[in-house]
Amino acid sequence: MIKITSLLISIFLVSAISNRTTKSTHQGKTIYIKTLGKVDQEKVDFIKRSITSFYGFECKIANQEEVSCDILSPSKKRCDAPAILRKFDSNRHVFILTEKDISHRRAANPEYGIIGLGSCPGKVCVVSTYRIKNASKKVFLDRLQKVVLHEIGHNLGIPHCTSSKECLMNDARGKAKTIDAEKVMICEDCRQKIKN
């Protein structure tokens, strides 16, 4: 009984220290959450709680921005994610949430639909709910949280993970099933790559 209790206490302490390592690295930093177009306030509040809980950032809600011609893709049906990053890049950390579809040039496809994009390293990232919304509320929020934390991870200097399929820095390649297989955690290899 004593051995089992000691083992459980050890597991709890390792888990707590591991989680605190991600948070304590970034305490004192502020991230500004900006919506692009109309976004439900419940989603914004959920993201704010997720970022603060996982990374330790203070989050402030910035003003809503409207979709403008300078960030539209060539077809005008989607927003161009790199154009969004360029437009909102600044000296402060900015997270952009939109319900509009976003795209990025990939190989021969000038408008490859994506869920998120973040500068690596950098101070700006964008996430769209468009490609993950067709799910139950619980699954949707789980996916949204992982994608948000993933893109902020890129801002902190973490590239896509090649060590663990469960690490949220794993490249989802636009597939919801890959996101579903991830856990809300950053593996030790990726944790070592975080830049202050």
Side-chain angles (χ1 to χ4, degrees):
M1 182 67 174
I2 293 174
K3 287 183 179 179
I4 292 172
T5 304
S6 297
L7 177 63
L8 290 173
I9 290 171
S10 297
I11 290 170
F12 173 76
L13 288 175
V14 167
S15 174
I17 290 168
S18 176
N19 190 31
R20 197 170 351 125
T21 303
T22 305
K23 280 182 169 181
S24 64
T25 305
H26 306 290
Q27 283 180 343
K29 292 189 179 183
T30 302
I31 190 163
Y32 293 85
I33 300 172
K34 185 181 288 284
T35 57
L36 183 59
K38 186 165 173 36
V39 177
D40 182 57
Q41 187 62 41
E42 183 182 4
K43 293 172 189 162
V44 176
D45 293 339
F46 174 75
I47 285 169
K48 182 179 178 182
R49 288 190 305 272
S50 297
I51 294 169
T52 300
S53 174
F54 192 79
Y55 285 115
F57 275 113
E58 177 186 1
C59 291
K60 293 185 178 179
I61 308 301
N63 58 315
Q64 176 183 318
E65 297 285 341
E66 294 307 317
V67 176
S68 53
C69 293
D70 58 332
I71 60 171
L72 291 178
S73 62
S75 72
K76 310 294 187 206
K77 294 179 181 176
R78 297 181 173 123
C79 292
D80 181 68
I84 293 170
L85 298 189
R86 286 190 300 273
K87 181 170 183 168
F88 297 107
D89 193 16
S90 70
N91 290 329
R92 54 189 203 175
H93 294 276
V94 179
F95 173 84
I96 300 153
L97 179 66
T98 186
E99 295 187 357
K100 306 289 184 192
D101 196 10
I102 61 175
S103 64
H104 186 14
R105 176 177 289 280
R106 184 172 285 185
N109 188 343
E111 290 189 31
Y112 183 81
I114 61 172
I115 303 166
L117 185 68
S119 302
C120 185
K123 292 190 173 183
V124 63
C125 58
V126 60
V127 169
S128 167
T129 62
Y130 186 85
R131 295 180 178 274
I132 58 172
K133 65 184 177 185
N134 292 331
S136 69
K137 184 174 181 178
K138 181 182 183 307
V139 171
F140 167 78
L141 291 176
D142 184 61
R143 290 174 180 170
L144 180 60
Q145 179 182 38
K146 290 173 187 175
V147 175
V148 168
L149 300 177
H150 173 102
E151 299 307 337
I152 292 174
H154 283 321
N155 285 171
L156 298 173
I158 308 172
H160 283 139
C161 181
T162 56
S163 301
S164 170
K165 290 182 179 179
E166 293 184 340
C167 177
L168 65 80
M169 292 309 300
N170 187 27
D171 186 357
R173 300 187 189 280
K175 296 180 181 173
K177 286 184 181 181
T178 306
I179 297 168
D180 295 341
E182 297 168 354
K183 293 186 177 178
V184 182
M185 67 91 177
I186 295 176
C187 73
E188 191 55 37
D189 285 352
C190 289
R191 194 182 302 275
Q192 298 302 320
K193 297 172 185 172
I194 293 177
K195 292 179 173 46
N196 288 326

